[in-house]
DNA sequence: ATGAAAGCGCTAACAA
DNA sequence: TTGTTAGCGCTTTCAT
């Protein structure tokens, strides 16, 4: 520990009591006579004493630390979730340890081990390999092993890990809300831009998209679903590709996230098309980018404070063996801005 | 600790050696005969054993944890710094504990105490009360106390805290680069939009702005410097105010950060002005917003990887009593995009 | 080179 | 109600 670190022994000595009594005052774990309690509290205050968290967690069954692995905190979606998780954790006296995975499997593995070494009470992972449609077997093994000791919570999935809890965004529902809205505006030809088939959440979105479109007799063709990465360059490329060989141009684009939507914005401008007059655009995640965009981007919102609350309370429930449900869904909500409007062209 | 947690005793027993030997293998702290070493390593591998970090840090003088307090991780500037710090820390076998301060003094105080309770090896704070031009005396006292045990590193300042190290962005330099560039484009009337006088870094920026402008005979008037908050609404309001009572309209706006610049973008559009033809706009921090903006925003960049490296190596040097310099500067660099161009109007 | 034993700071039985 | 004591998991003398 730090140089001349103060301990409960010093406090005890100065207060004229035993270390145990100091501990009792600290933890409120047992009755202490008001007189001694006051003295102890004063000495504690005098030195601004804070018990050593490491020593505590050696005894306690809990470290009161939650490990959080996210793909990249620079993405505002993850940043929002992390902030809300941190607040929810704080409220319960828990601390968050954050790990960025940065698309680096090595780093992801090390982060996991590191959180285990810290004996965190639970691990929450958002993004990266829990988003794979087909879980990476190597990673599954790693997590399976660790999850025998530490509950593993994710917003994605990891096939074959027993001690795993999931909170999933209700993509089916999101797509339905989005498409119903666009249909009501008269859109019949809608494209789905961005993302990849091997990403679980994207796969679900696309499946939901196709099913809904078929069920509601929207115009559907494979050229309306375009792969891309998840940033604005992806959006730009996706739209460019869409435009290149298009049988019938769509009147609306649903984008896999806000970044991609902004890439589509740029592409539309470069093609001299106006938003929303010539093309309606929708994003997902309702990050602040949606608010910042010109025109404001209609986007699917997830109640982030509720999201954080749910993740943390799930993590703690699992850590306390309360057997919470293994799969929960988060209900989305649409935020309508200026990027969507009535279809300009209603020919089928 | 977790339920049936495995310890070095189990490892030792199964390997037929003493716990001390296992420890020696783990830490490479002393020679162990190759034979035993191999056995121990195999058992460790078999159980994927990771020594309990809390138990280690009880003995060790170091916890190998660095506490990081940032104003708000959702701001891409902070997010970038945090990611780079995390990488730099990882490289040295250190873990980062992140705290968001969220403009909540209570939370800021608690975060500080919490990091102390964890006996982190160093505390880095970016944003919030270390940005006050006049340091909050209460906070100074808190940090002063804690910094007697844990070195305190910041990108701002905290008057009267001895054990404090600073890495500051070289605002004077930044402003000079920005203004020289705009002057070279023929701009004579330049406004400085956004931020507040009571924020240290903004104050320095404005002082540098005024001094440079005077020294280079640019048109200077108080109406060209407008207060606002630091997000895009601030930028919008600042520009609106600027436009309301303007003796001579400027031909370029330097904005305190990229968010504010995007607010200015929006205001300009609402006034029917084009960027950069009617007005050049510059941002600061070169976040991805600058890249995303339409047109691309010219912005002042700080070498983020270097920034993270410098912060972490400074933190560790201070933690190891190596007496590093108490104040270092970070050299900025301008990234030119499409939001700046030759002045349209050269009348003084 | 190796093991026994002490101790890091704290809490929780167990006595008193 | 209070103090004494043992022990959490690890590392590190100190012997051997």
């Amino acid at each position: 520990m730090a140089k001349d670190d103060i301990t409960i022994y010093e406090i005890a000595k100065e207060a004229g009591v035993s270390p145990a009594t100091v501990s009792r005052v600290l933890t409120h774990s047992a009755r202490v006579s008001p007189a001694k309690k006051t003295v102890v509290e004063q000495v504690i205050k005098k030195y601004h004493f804070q018990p050593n968290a490491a020593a505590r967690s050696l005894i306690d069954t809990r470290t009161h630390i939650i490990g959080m692995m996210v793909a990249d905190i620079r993405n505002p979606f993850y940043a929002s979730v992390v902030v809300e998780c941190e607040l929810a954790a704080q409220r319960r006296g828990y601390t968050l340890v954050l790990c960025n995975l940065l698309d680096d499997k090595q780093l992801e593995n090390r982060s996991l081990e590191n959180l285990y070494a810290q004996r965190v009470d639970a691990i929450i992972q958002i993004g990266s390999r829990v988003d794979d449609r087909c879980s990476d077997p190597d990673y599954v093994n790693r997590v399976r092993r660790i999850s025998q000791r530490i509950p593993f919570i994710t917003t994605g999935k990891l096939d074959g890990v027993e001690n795993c809890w999931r909170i999933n965004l209700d993509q089916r529902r999101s797509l339905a809300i989005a498409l119903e809205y666009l249909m009501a505006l008269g859109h019949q030809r809608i494209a789905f831009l961005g993302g990849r088939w091997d990403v679980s959440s994207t796969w679900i979105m696309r499946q939901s998209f196709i099913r809904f479109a078929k069920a509601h007799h929207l115009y559907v063709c494979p050229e309306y679903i375009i792969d891309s990465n998840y940033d604005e360059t992806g959006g730009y490329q996706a739209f460019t590709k869409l435009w290149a060989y298009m049988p019938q141009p769509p009147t609306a684009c649903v984008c896999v996230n806000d970044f991609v939507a902004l890439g589509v914005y740029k592409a539309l401008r470069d093609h001299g098309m106006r938003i929303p007059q010539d093309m309606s655009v929708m994003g997902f995640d309702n990050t602040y980018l949606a608010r910042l965009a010109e025109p404001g981007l209609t986007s699917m919102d997830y109640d982030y404070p509720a999201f954080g609350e749910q993740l943390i309370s799930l993590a703690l429930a699992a850590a306390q063996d309360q057997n919470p449900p293994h799969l929960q869904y988060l209900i989305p909500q649409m935020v309508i801005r200026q990027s969507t409007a009535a279809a300009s062209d209603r020919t089928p």
Side-chain angles (χ1 to χ4, degrees), chain A:
Chain A
M1 294 293 75
K3 8 219 156 177
D4 44 340
D5 215 13
I6 196 166
T7 71
I8 51 167
Y9 288 95
E10 276 89 58
I11 303 289
K13 186 185 274 182
E14 180 150 345
V17 299
S18 76
T21 300
V22 177
S23 174
R24 285 191 265 259
V25 172
L26 245 22
T27 58
H28 311 286
S29 60
R31 310 207 65 71
V32 173
S33 74
K36 300 211 171 194
K37 190 173 175 184
T38 322
V39 185
V40 170
E41 278 170 345
Q42 266 163 4
V43 180
I44 288 176
K45 194 167 288 168
K46 174 177 169 193
Y47 291 104
H48 298 275
F49 173 71
Q50 286 269 20
N52 185 318
R56 271 191 161 166
S57 54
L58 251 194
I59 310 177
D60 205 343
T61 23
R62 321 242 73 95
T63 54
H64 295 271
I65 301 177
I66 295 176
M68 186 135 196
M69 303 168 67
V70 303
D72 191 336
I73 192 76
R74 290 169 295 195
N75 179 320
F77 171 74
Y78 296 115
S80 298
V81 179
V82 166
V83 166
E84 298 300 341
C85 283
E86 189 186 343
L87 287 172
Q90 280 261 4
R91 268 178 243 126
R92 295 164 167 84
Y94 276 73
T95 301
L96 231 57
V97 169
L98 182 74
C99 306
N100 282 284
L101 307 177
L102 306 178
D103 241 325
D104 176 344
K105 290 180 199 238
Q106 299 268 339
L107 184 56
E108 192 167 356
N109 294 344
R110 266 190 288 129
S111 299
L112 194 64
E113 296 297 338
N114 186 31
L115 291 178
Y116 171 60
Q118 294 201 49
R119 303 297 191 272
V120 297
D121 293 338
I123 296 177
I124 300 176
Q125 177 167 0
I126 311 185
S128 200
R129 275 186 278 185
V130 294
D131 274 348
D132 291 348
R133 185 150 74 91
C134 300
S135 304
D136 174 344
D138 171 59
Y139 196 61
V140 165
N141 281 334
R142 304 185 105 90
V143 174
R144 179 188 283 147
R145 172 163 46 75
I146 284 176
S147 70
Q148 276 156 11
R149 315 200 162 281
I150 300 178
F152 190 84
I153 286 84
T154 178
T155 56
K157 73 183 177 72
L158 219 41
D159 303 320
V161 177
E162 311 78 21
N163 217 24
C164 175
W165 283 265
R166 300 162 56 191
I167 294 188
N168 280 192
L169 306 177
D170 191 342
Q171 314 280 22
R172 244 172 80 52
R173 190 77 189 289
S174 303
L175 258 294
I177 294 173
L179 293 179
E180 269 162 18
Y181 166 68
L182 290 174
M183 275 181 67
L185 287 174
H187 294 278
Q188 297 285 328
R189 298 196 308 282
I190 304 173
F192 185 93
L193 298 186
R196 294 192 315 267
W197 283 108
D198 58 354
V199 173
S200 175
S201 60
T202 304
W203 188 82
I204 298 173
M205 284 172 101
R206 291 181 176 183
Q207 287 295 335
S208 310
F209 176 77
I210 293 169
R211 254 180 232 149
F212 185 98
K214 283 192 176 150
H216 293 263
H217 309 294
L218 295 172
Y219 179 83
V220 184
C221 74
E223 289 79 9
Y224 272 21
I225 298 183
I226 315 250
D227 273 31
S228 83
N229 61 29
Y230 290 82
D231 63 23
E232 84 277 11
T233 64
Y236 192 93
Q237 286 161 8
F239 184 83
T240 308
K241 221 178 270 180
L242 175 75
W243 211 244
Y245 35 50
M246 190 156 36
Q248 293 248 48
T251 60
C253 293
V254 174
C255 303
V256 74
N257 69 22
D258 293 343
F259 278 97
V260 166
L262 290 195
V264 171
Y265 269 41
K266 195 171 275 205
L268 281 166
R269 253 186 226 110
D270 287 357
H271 284 83
M273 296 174 73
R274 294 159 307 161
I275 309 165
Q277 296 89 334
D278 303 322
M279 180 76 76
S280 285
V281 181
M282 266 202 68
F284 268 77
D285 298 346
N286 192 34
T287 60
Y288 63 76
L289 294 174
R291 203 183 62 219
L292 229 51
E294 265 300 316
L297 174 66
T298 296
S299 188
M300 200 56 70
D301 183 65
Y302 304 101
D303 182 340
Y304 290 99
F307 198 2
E309 260 296 313
Q310 224 170 323
L311 278 167
I312 296 299
S313 67
L314 175 59
L316 297 187
Q320 287 152 30
D321 295 315
Q322 294 174 221
N323 270 85
H326 276 269
L327 178 57
Q328 292 175 256
Y329 283 101
L330 204 70
I331 291 148
Q333 202 176 342
M334 190 167 49
V335 174
I336 298 176
R337 295 200 180 78
Q338 296 77 47
S339 67
T340 43
S344 52
D345 165 5
R346 288 177 186 242
T347 60

